Amino acid sequence: MPITSRILEVAAADPDRSALVGSPSEAESRAGAEGTHSLTYAQLARDSRTLFAAVDALHSAQTAPPTPAPETRDIPITAVSLTSALETSRIIAGLAGFRAVSATIDPRWPLSHQVGVITTTGIGLVISDSGVLAEALAAAGWTGTVITAAELHACEAAVDPVDTAPPTVREPSEPFLMLFSSGTTSNPKAFIKTRQQYRDNVDVSSAHLEPFPGVATLAPGPVSYSLTLYAVIESLATGGSVHVADDFDPFTMGSRITDEAITRIVAVPAVVKALAEAARRTPARFRGLDLVVTGGANLPASIRSALADVLPDTRLISYYGAAEIGFIGDSRDGDGTWISIYDTIGVDIRDESGARLPDGVIGTVWIRAAACSDGYVTGTTDAQLRRPDGWATVGDQGRIENGLLQLAGRAGDIAITGGHKVSLPEVERAFEEIDRGDRRSGQGRLGEVCAIALPDDSLGSIVALVIEPGSASDGGPGNSGMSDKAALLDRARAKLAPQFVPRRFYLLDQLPRTVGGKIRRHETVDLVMSGKAQRL
């Protein structure tokens, strides 16, 4: 492992087992790939030979190739920036058995972010169908190569298989993937995962998240998401079949689950919410689901409850992890806010000076895990990830009580008001149950909420709650009692400690979100401060 040894093993023992499966519509977009929307293990192993030969030739043909970041140990970097989840997965998996460092770049990132990471990290080959990106890279003086997916297929077809070498299991310390911690709201921070670090991560996830051999896992969404990318890696590393989709289409996913005998889904929380809504319309199509895995630590209770209501026999695991560090723990019961830490992972809560804090006190979460990256790639950030003693942090805040971890958000998710530390995600959780509607009280359905900190001369900051109206058919704030500040205050006072109770409430037609559906807290503050939200 991470995946090459298992790919070769399954290709020999069970060559027709499905490795990668895209949506049926993928066949129309894969010109030059025989119109297929799936690859068996045998096909994946065979095709990787011509894929790497074509990629290697493209790198070698450059007269002044970009210099790869020193963390790659001079291995050329190939980046994939395509909307096709199947094509991206095929390339990443195919290059895994060779001397190559691969990266996925979300084509929906701001153009400046895409150009920035490519030029800064020394990526030499970009597989992209975007002419705009190619022009921007040329204007930036980048000396690498941009090639479309169709052009890559043509290069592969021109390779004589006799002239290729087979994939092999690589050395543990060899760089494997270049990943990015961001790209939507700030400049992306790049980091490298070695093959051993990914093997260590597979050891943890296979022990707790059930990517068993032969299991069909659906991982909808861009492979540039670390959650989706890891679902592809872990499924191939354990001999499973990974079914990918460019996005989550509720009208077709039910039939795919039935037709392709999918029993496990790995998806972001927004997709889990859509899954529950789709299953409510056609529950029979989703009854084969055994397990849903999501990366949403502090998964909203409303999503957990909605899935349990419509699919009571489907288990839900929400894990906590960071792409830089790996899997840390998960929650399976109750409201999902308390995380059981995996037995191979060390967790400490520390203050700004690095001193360990007592149970119950919010501080910075520090992690010790074998899968942790060594640090960020030179030139992409000045932030420190890992200390010399092996402990690392991505800035998450949290507390430990009775051996369980509760997250309080990132540093920007903590408000200091009147000397008290207030977790803004904890404020939001107090309003989650209203999202399902309280018809008996006449309060109706509350839409999505975002707790923010606003500057205050006497307290330093105050807590405010910004509400996105629910749909009219559900009785949103614009047409129900939930637009009443008194009702909102009653709710907050019943659920929260006094310092956590919002002092102001606002309505905003639409909360700003990332491309992955996460609410942007800082942008919400900007909209409120600029007067674009209605104060209740």
Side-chain angles (χ1 to χ4, degrees), residues 154-397:
C155 291
E156 293 176 67
V159 173
D160 186 342
V162 175
D163 298 328
T164 62
T168 60
V169 179
R170 312 295 300 177
E171 288 297 317
S173 62
E174 187 175 86
F176 172 43
L177 288 177
M178 177 181 286
L179 304 175
F180 305 97
S181 63
S182 183
T184 306
T185 59
S186 62
N187 291 328
K189 298 190 291 288
F191 55 95
I192 295 291
K193 284 290 187 183
T194 67
R195 294 172 186 276
Q196 185 59 51
Q197 288 162 354
Y198 247 94
R199 291 167 189 167
D200 291 330
N201 218 18
V202 169
D203 286 344
V204 176
S205 72
S206 60
H208 299 281
L209 303 180
E210 304 181 23
F212 298 142
V215 166
T217 295
L218 174 62
V223 182
S224 53
Y225 290 0
S226 59
L227 177 144
T228 310
L229 174 61
Y230 188 75
V232 172
I233 299 295
E234 72 170 357
S235 293
L236 296 176
T238 54
S241 301
V242 59
H243 299 241
V244 296
D246 302 342
D247 51 30
F248 184 85
D249 179 359
F251 298 103
T252 62
M253 287 302 157
S255 59
R256 284 196 68 183
I257 289 168
T258 301
D259 297 344
E260 299 169 22
I262 292 167
T263 60
R264 179 175 179 264
I265 287 182
V266 179
V268 297
V271 168
V272 178
K273 180 179 181 180
L275 168 68
E277 294 171 351
R280 191 174 300 280
R281 291 193 293 270
T282 55
R285 291 183 177 272
F286 295 84
R287 292 277 159 76
L289 273 183
D290 173 55
L291 177 64
V292 174
V293 177
T294 183
N298 286 338
L299 184 73
S302 58
I303 296 179
R304 189 179 293 270
S305 299
L307 188 69
D309 286 347
V310 68
L311 296 174
D313 297 326
T314 301
R315 297 173 295 134
L316 174 64
I317 301 175
S318 57
Y319 71 77
Y320 167 48
E324 298 98 317
I325 295 173
F327 294 105
I328 298 165
D330 67 50
S331 60
R332 307 179 184 220
D333 302 309
D335 63 3
T337 61
W338 290 101
I339 298 163
S340 297
I341 302 165
Y342 296 142
D343 54 9
T344 57
I345 306 299
V347 177
D348 272 350
I349 307 298
R350 302 178 184 178
D351 64 15
E352 292 82 358
S353 69
R356 184 176 296 177
L357 293 170
D359 278 12
V361 178
I362 292 177
T364 300
V365 181
W366 283 83
I367 309 294
R368 189 181 181 96
C372 183
S373 295
D374 295 329
Y376 293 111
V377 170
T378 304
T380 63
T381 182
D382 294 328
Q384 181 185 21
L385 170 64
R386 185 174 180 172
R387 299 193 321 190
D389 62 4
W391 287 88
T393 185
V394 293
D396 286 339
Q397 304 290 295

